Amino acid sequence: MIRYLLARLLTFVPTFLGVTLISFAFIRVLPGDPIIVMAGERGLTEERYAELVTQFGFDKPLPVQFWTYLTGVLQGDLGVSYVTKRPVWDEFFALFPATLELSLCAIVFAIAIGLPAGVIAAVNRGKLFDRALMSTALVGYSMPIFWWALLLIIVFSGNLGWTPVSGRMGLLYFFEPVTGFMLIDSVLSGQSGAFGSAVRHLILPTIVLGTIPLAVIARQTRSAMLEVLSEDYIRTARAKGLSPLRVNGLHALRNAMIPVVTVIGLSVGTLLAGAILTETIFSWPGIGKWMVDSIFRRDYPVVQGGLLLIASMVMVVNLTVDILYGFINPKIRARK
Amino acid sequence: MSVALRQGPLAEFWYYFRENRGAVIGLWVFAAFAFVALFAPLLAPYDPTQQFRQSVLLPPAWIAGGDWAFPLGTDPLGRDMLSRLIHGARYSFFVGIVVVVVAASGGILLGLIAGFSPRWLDSLIMRLMDVILAFPSLLLALVLVAILGPSLTNAMIAIALVLQPHYVRLTRASVLSERTRDYVVSARVAGARLPRLMFVTVLPNCLAPIIVQAALSFSTAILDAAALGFLGMGAQPPTPEWGTMLAEAREFILRAWWVVTFPGVAILVTVLAINLMGDGLRDALDPKLKRS
């Protein structure tokens, strides 16, 4: 097991270096002179320009610049935003709870509906319910979520007036963030109605972001269940006279969960990519919208740092899933 | 079943593909989409950028206030929705073809090299692919387009680059399992050189999963290009690209549902048809799932 752990950790190091190198390279090939954007001064004199070049280390050879950047990154220094002049690291962690809250709600929504739907479809294989469900899942899987968001806004915000169009909280309420999670902070604030407002703001973004993971989980659960249901031990369990609920829910689902858990773990990348679109449409103040805004503002340190942090997060989650998988399934660690 | 097995591989493939009704429907819709894309200028009633200033934001013809001259209504600039949607099919089809060709050819080549090369080169290529896969694909494409400058061509390059590691992994995995088979060893013993071994001996036997992946990335390419267009980083207005049309229509969502609804329906139907086809392809090509 220790060898497996070490082997997995060892592949992590070069990938992390590569990710850092790519994020580092972007700032040097982006259009526009970073010095001029960074200084934010009009009519920059040549002396001042040269001074800034030295200040930001752009006169050093590229390998030296990369080394400086890498050592900075490892100490948690990702540079300072051109626009807000705040450290990228602080900005990221101020906005991250918003994205995390939305993503958690989306994945809970996806699991709560997708998992039972997949199980019921597998048990009723080939029947009308199965076919209807799998057709719906394929539609969900093919959905352009930015359009789906607009449709939901038309119906639920425009026609029915049930949900707000954007943001995380109604304008009537104000309180200092404690955890960064609106659902928790609104309760802590003690203001009546604040929690309801937080929930109403969350509904549409959650559905939009959860749609594709929901479809993937439903399809994956169904196929994993079908595979398990044809095993001998299921037939034995049935022959022993156990109730269908016990056979399907306990015996089959437990083993079918292994591939499903992997899919859930690996959907972090999908969620973060989806968050870019969802947050932009709903003006959700998270890291997805932050990245898009920074790209348009040419705020290079933010783009660079955000890219690195997001990729690192995906890598850490994938690594964790892999290692957990090694714990659950001894076949995998034996293979190496 | 025995009838199918005696026929050629193509007939056998069709035999299994035909059994999946969804896949056949998908194939027909995709054929219609390709037809519309190829003959867009002949099919569209108007030029997609022509503005009819006296008929701005007309609803679809079957709704009160609509005009049969503009069956699906007009957009905020008085352009015919139907003509724009028909021309939009061209861009999506083009994006799909270019992205799949570029991503697949690059990916297959790298995958073959990785599968046949010494260990250090194999590791180098695969770690490089891991790096690309560590970024959420849309985010990486977005940043790449920001660097290259927003346009449809750059969006296609970015999407192709982001989708390519999947082909590398698939090809490499198949190569590694085929490489030690008897038929490859005998070709090597018979004196086949490396390029022949790679492209003529091994590659045809690795194609099944790659074809399925091609169908999947065709739909991903259309979705991602539309998403980039929607974010303002893909095709630029007045190009009638479906995602760009949605971005232009956003401020009218509560006043004119049709300018928002139709481009999205077009994207969804196309992507759905391709995914249905892809599912059918997978079932027909995957020998494990074959019922024979």
Side-chain angles (χ1 to χ4, degrees), chain A residues 26 30 138 142 147 219 296, chain B residues 147 231 260-261 264 275-276 279:
Chain A
F26 276 146
L30 278 163
L138 196 65
S142 311
W147 174 68
R219 278 162 64 100
F296 277 101
Chain B
I147 294 170
L231 290 171
V260 177
T261 311
N275 284 343
L276 276 169
D279 273 6

Side-chain angles (χ1 to χ4, degrees), chain A residues 238-281:
Chain A
R238 285 205 184 112
K240 283 191 332 199
L242 297 182
S243 70
L245 191 70
R246 201 176 161 83
V247 174
N248 296 324
L250 212 69
H251 286 69
L253 186 60
R254 194 188 283 171
N255 277 315
M257 277 308 283
I258 296 174
V260 175
V261 167
T262 315
V263 163
I264 295 170
L266 296 181
S267 62
V268 175
T270 318
L271 282 173
L272 286 170
I276 295 172
L277 291 163
T278 313
E279 291 181 1
T280 306
I281 293 169

Side-chain angles (χ1 to χ4, degrees), chain A residues 11 14-15 18-19 22-23 26 29-31 131 135 138-139 141-147 150-151 153-154 157-159 165 219 269 272-273 276-277 280-282 291-292 295-296 298 303 306-308 310-311 314-315, chain B residues 21 127 130-140 142-144 146-149 216 223 226-228 230-233 242-243 246 250 253-254 256-257 260-265 267-268 271-273 275-276 279 282:
Chain A
T11 60
T15 317
V19 167
I22 286 191
S23 316
F26 276 146
V29 283
L30 278 163
R131 275 182 290 161
S135 312
L138 196 65
V139 172
Y141 182 68
S142 311
M143 188 64 82
I145 59 166
F146 45 98
W147 174 68
L150 296 180
L151 275 194
I153 290 177
I154 291 181
S157 306
N159 294 351
V165 180
R219 278 162 64 100
L272 286 170
I276 295 172
L277 291 163
T280 306
I281 293 169
F282 290 100
M291 285 297 283
V292 173
I295 287 172
F296 277 101
R298 302 199 174 288
V303 176
L307 207 57
L308 179 61
I310 291 173
V314 173
M315 281 164 58
Chain B
R21 209 184 327 150
R127 287 296 84 75
D130 285 352
V131 170
I132 299 180
L133 285 173
F135 297 98
S137 61
L138 185 66
L139 179 65
L140 189 59
L142 195 64
V143 174
L144 277 172
I147 294 170
L148 300 167
L216 286 177
L223 273 181
L228 287 176
F230 182 75
L231 290 171
M233 282 289 179
W242 293 335
L246 274 176
R250 251 185 89 180
I253 56 170
L254 296 182
W257 55 268
V260 177
T261 311
F262 295 135
V265 172
I267 301 172
L268 176 61
V271 171
L272 183 60
N275 284 343
L276 276 169
D279 273 6
R282 192 193 54 215

Side-chain angles (χ1 to χ4, degrees), chain B:
Chain B
M1 295 289 168
S2 60
V3 184
L5 292 178
R6 261 184 266 118
Q7 290 161 343
L10 209 65
E12 189 198 339
F13 162 75
W14 180 245
Y15 177 85
Y16 287 112
F17 187 80
R18 205 181 47 188
E19 281 194 351
N20 186 334
R21 209 184 327 150
V24 176
I25 297 173
L27 182 66
W28 279 110
V29 174
F30 182 73
F33 163 66
F35 179 81
V36 169
L38 289 174
F39 297 103
L42 300 175
L43 295 170
Y46 308 98
D47 183 274
T49 51
Q50 193 183 351
Q51 302 183 1
F52 299 91
R53 297 325 281 266
Q54 71 286 1
S55 350
V56 168
L57 280 181
L58 277 188
W62 62 88
I63 286 172
D67 183 348
W68 278 108
F70 307 105
L72 295 182
T74 56
D75 73 358
L77 293 174
R79 296 173 296 196
D80 180 41
M81 284 298 290
L82 181 64
S83 304
R84 287 180 72 70
L85 288 173
I86 289 175
H87 277 270
R90 293 205 115 171
Y91 292 95
S92 289
F93 190 69
F94 186 60
V95 166
I97 296 274
V98 172
V99 167
V100 168
V101 168
V102 173
S105 47
I108 290 171
L109 189 66
L110 277 175
L112 281 172
I113 293 174
F116 273 101
S117 63
R119 201 162 171 171
W120 65 270
L121 186 58
D122 178 30
S123 301
L124 186 72
I125 293 176
M126 295 324 288
R127 287 296 84 75
L128 206 65
M129 295 305 124
D130 285 352
V131 170
I132 299 180
L133 285 173
F135 297 98
S137 61
L138 185 66
L139 179 65
L140 189 59
L142 195 64
V143 174
L144 277 172
V145 174
I147 294 170
L148 300 167
S151 77
L152 193 63
T153 318
N154 291 340
M156 289 192 295
I157 296 173
I159 296 167
L161 194 79
V162 170
L163 291 180
Q164 183 238 34
H166 299 286
Y167 290 93
V168 180
R169 284 192 162 182
L170 275 177
T171 313
R172 176 177 172 272
S174 319
V175 167
L176 288 184
S177 70
E178 294 289 319
R179 209 176 56 167
T180 49
R181 298 271 182 93
D182 289 345
Y183 77 96
V184 184
V185 176
S186 65
R188 199 191 294 261
V189 171
R193 282 172 198 279
L194 194 58
R196 188 183 167 84
L197 275 181
M198 280 161 78
F199 293 100
V200 183
T201 314
V202 170
L203 180 59
N205 293 299
C206 306
L207 280 179
I210 295 172
I211 291 171
V212 177
Q213 181 63 33
L216 286 177
S217 46
F218 202 105
S219 58
T220 312
I222 291 179
L223 273 181
D224 280 0
L228 287 176
F230 182 75
L231 290 171
M233 282 289 179
Q236 297 297 306
T239 313
E241 197 272 325
W242 293 335
T244 312
M245 286 170 72
L246 274 176
E248 285 182 86
R250 251 185 89 180
E251 52 186 302
F252 297 94
I253 56 170
L254 296 182
R255 275 169 53 200
W257 55 268
W258 58 93
V259 289
V260 177
T261 311
F262 295 135
V265 172
I267 301 172
L268 176 61
V269 169
T270 312
V271 171
L272 183 60
I274 298 168
N275 284 343
L276 276 169
M277 227 169 63
D279 273 6
L281 276 175
R282 192 193 54 215
D283 294 350
L285 290 172
D286 189 344
K288 262 207 310 198
L289 295 171
K290 271 182 191 167
R291 290 135 290 201
S292 51

